[in-house]
Amino acid sequence: MRTRGLFRWSILLALTLAIVLNITPAAAQPKSLYERLGRYDGIAAAVDDFLARALADPKIARFFAGHSADSKGRFRQQVVEQLCMLAGGPCVYTGRSMKTSHAGLGITEEEWQLTVKYLVAALDKFQVPQREKDELLAALTKVKPDIVEK
């Protein structure tokens, strides 16, 4: 009988601590954008589709004229890293700053909007919900001033 009473007090104490410390079970924790986008593999698949769409457009492909397959592969990896990092994932972006890597390219608002269009189309292909698209685009919009030249 005494063991049952001690067990009840232990449960009561654990619940009280959980409430006071605002501890919730892992299942109740909100998922990060990274997780909601399908983690690394989901992001990489969307990037592959996005780049295929963007590079099929001569207005965007002109920025990659003369680049080797290896350079394009490295660029793809950097896009995956950056989106993974922006989405709260464990990736570390290893490329140059957006300002440095886009300086002098003369990227216009129209070209920015085209790339956004192709990214959204890729996310739509993988049935990414609107909330996640909005969150990702909001994160990308923060770097827009370093990419688009006035």
Side-chain angles (χ1 to χ4, degrees):
M1 195 67 159
R2 181 179 168 147
T3 304
R4 193 181 317 172
L6 185 59
F7 178 74
R8 286 182 184 161
W9 277 107
S10 296
I11 295 294
L12 182 60
L13 178 61
L15 288 172
T16 302
L17 283 173
I19 291 168
V20 170
L21 298 175
N22 196 23
I23 299 170
T24 57
Q29 295 287 340
K31 289 185 176 182
S32 69
L33 178 58
Y34 170 75
E35 292 171 310
R36 290 180 281 136
L37 289 173
R39 305 176 66 85
Y40 185 91
D41 291 342
I43 291 169
V47 166
D48 288 340
D49 188 81
F50 158 66
L51 290 177
R53 292 170 191 270
L55 294 177
D57 185 328
K59 291 178 182 175
I60 304 302
R62 73 181 181 92
F63 295 109
F64 298 92
H67 286 85
S68 69
D70 183 62
S71 292
K72 289 177 184 175
R74 178 69 183 132
F75 175 77
R76 178 252 185 216
Q77 185 58 39
Q78 289 175 334
V79 173
V80 171
E81 289 172 359
Q82 187 173 42
L83 293 184
C84 173
M85 184 182 75
L86 288 172
C91 300
V92 176
Y93 173 68
T94 59
R96 295 175 291 164
S97 73
M98 291 296 98
K99 192 167 201 74
T100 299
S101 60
H102 294 89
L105 293 178
I107 296 173
T108 66
E109 177 66 26
E110 177 189 6
E111 291 159 339
W112 170 267
Q113 291 302 324
L114 274 173
T115 60
V116 168
K117 173 184 154 186
Y118 297 134
L119 179 58
V120 169
L123 296 172
D124 286 343
K125 176 182 175 181
F126 293 100
Q127 300 176 343
V128 172
Q130 190 63 47
R131 175 182 168 208
E132 284 72 17
K133 284 188 283 196
D134 290 345
E135 285 181 45
L136 185 60
L137 292 174
L140 287 171
T141 299
K142 292 178 184 175
V143 298
K144 180 182 174 183
D146 293 336
I147 296 171
V148 176
E149 293 185 14
K150 305 235 186 279

